[in-house]
Amino acid sequence: MPTELGPAAESVAQAMSRAAMSWLADLDDEQRALAWWGPPGSEHEAERRRWFYTPTDHGGLAFSGQFAWQQRRAMRLVASGLSPEGYDLVSTIIGTENVLDRLEGFSSEFDTRRGRDPSRYYLRVFGDPEGQGPWSWRFGGHHVSLNFLIVAGKVRSATPRFFGLDPAITTLPGGMTLEPLGAFQSTARSLVTSLPADARAAAVLLDRAPADIVMGNRSSFEEAATMLNLAEIFRRRPGDDELMERMRKGGNSLDAETGYGPREHELLSVTSLPKGIAGSELDSDQRNLLDRLMRTYHDGLPVGLAPRWDIDELHFAWAGPTEAGVPNYYRVQGDGFLIEWDNTARNGNHAHGVVRHLSNDFGEDVLAGHRRAWHTAEAGTNHLYQEDTQP
């Protein structure tokens, strides 16, 4: 079980509260109806625990529905949950939508006026950032998902946290390249290629990578989970039947491209018993690489907020070839953590990376101990939560 978030949990929560209230105070009633919902544990709990990494409606107030100064305040809240490096990564991912738009011929897709759109990133606050009860916020759009829970003035959960890029590597003038997720890929590859034959046999689960992360956007751990169909990781809206059918067909074609069938999905399923090679079986250099990989996934958090981990309790697993430039997948699981990475689409140039705390995503462990007390104290007393806004 991972330890609680680090010593900066209180100071980061204060910065989040100030930024959230500043943003919310500048919205009109129509905007606020999308941006500000009831507290964690209320009737909005199911929506709070929904998250996406696809170019779908993530729920909340989109950049496209805000004036420039409101967008600036929204990004200040986003920055409060990230280190400077993490903020730069998120900003780069958002900007890369323009690159992907060109790669795909500036086409309209997903039943929107613009298929790849940097204005389709959504922010929503749940609960009162100035009050005494739990509150949370999430930010997301294509290839970004941030989720934070604050209880008793401290950040108590910072997962699921997802970063992705398409294309993962972009060529720039003068022969330079842009590879913001390069360390996520190269550190894991260095680890798997450093393993001797017997250890590599334990770590490499399959010689082909799956088409996506295996847990997908499930809200909580599911024993023996296998990869979801593309249609399942989009928000379903009225009138979306045709779009969903196209995605179902597209998701099935991904299996055909990877050669995965029921056996392969089962071998790569996520189970409570971690797969791969244990950190306790690695030598010192390999342990350092595994620790560096964990730090890479947590460097995006504000200094002092990242939790601790025990390398001995972690397991590392890989699927696909180990050479550079080809589709691959890896997983780190144990000590309460689940990290997944896939770089498979676009012939190994479309990457996804996510870190989760299996028992405390969205602060489930924390809320379980507080829900009754907060519900009793706040039921019918806080005017902020009287209006029922539908998803």
Side-chain angles (χ1 to χ4, degrees), residues 77-152:
L77 176 54
V78 172
S80 72
L82 299 167
S83 65
E85 296 84 357
Y87 181 83
D88 292 349
L89 176 58
V90 166
S91 300
T92 301
I93 293 169
I94 294 172
T96 303
E97 288 296 280
N98 291 308
V99 178
L100 183 55
D101 200 19
R102 180 191 63 80
L103 285 177
E104 296 185 339
F106 298 103
S107 61
S108 178
E109 185 54 277
F110 308 114
D111 293 352
T112 63
R113 292 180 179 271
R114 183 179 181 188
R116 306 300 183 175
D117 188 351
S119 72
R120 295 188 70 216
Y121 286 78
Y122 302 79
L123 181 60
R124 176 169 282 163
V125 173
F126 295 85
D128 181 5
E130 277 192 323
Q132 298 302 307
W135 69 281
S136 68
W137 63 274
R138 73 173 182 214
F139 175 76
H142 188 207
H143 286 154
V144 176
S145 185
L146 306 175
N147 298 273
F148 295 93
L149 174 75
I150 297 87
V151 177

Side-chain angles (χ1 to χ4, degrees), residues 31 51 77 116 152 158 236 255 315:
Q31 292 172 316
W51 71 284
L77 176 54
R116 306 300 183 175
R236 190 181 187 91
D255 276 352
H315 288 69

Side-chain angles (χ1 to χ4, degrees), residues 211-274:
D212 198 358
I213 56 175
V214 177
M215 279 291 288
N217 67 329
R218 291 175 170 90
S219 294
S220 58
F221 174 76
E222 180 181 309
E223 184 67 40
T226 57
M227 195 182 78
L228 297 172
N229 185 279
L230 183 61
E232 297 176 274
I233 54 177
F234 274 68
R235 184 187 290 271
R236 190 181 187 91
R237 292 293 193 181
D240 280 350
D241 291 347
E242 181 182 347
L243 175 63
M244 292 297 116
E245 182 60 27
R246 281 192 282 132
M247 288 183 182
R248 275 190 290 271
K249 293 179 179 178
N252 292 336
S253 71
L254 293 177
D255 276 352
E257 293 173 12
T258 60
Y260 269 43
R263 176 182 175 276
E264 285 77 15
H265 284 300
E266 181 181 358
L267 285 171
L268 209 63
S269 65
V270 179
T271 58
S272 53
L273 182 64

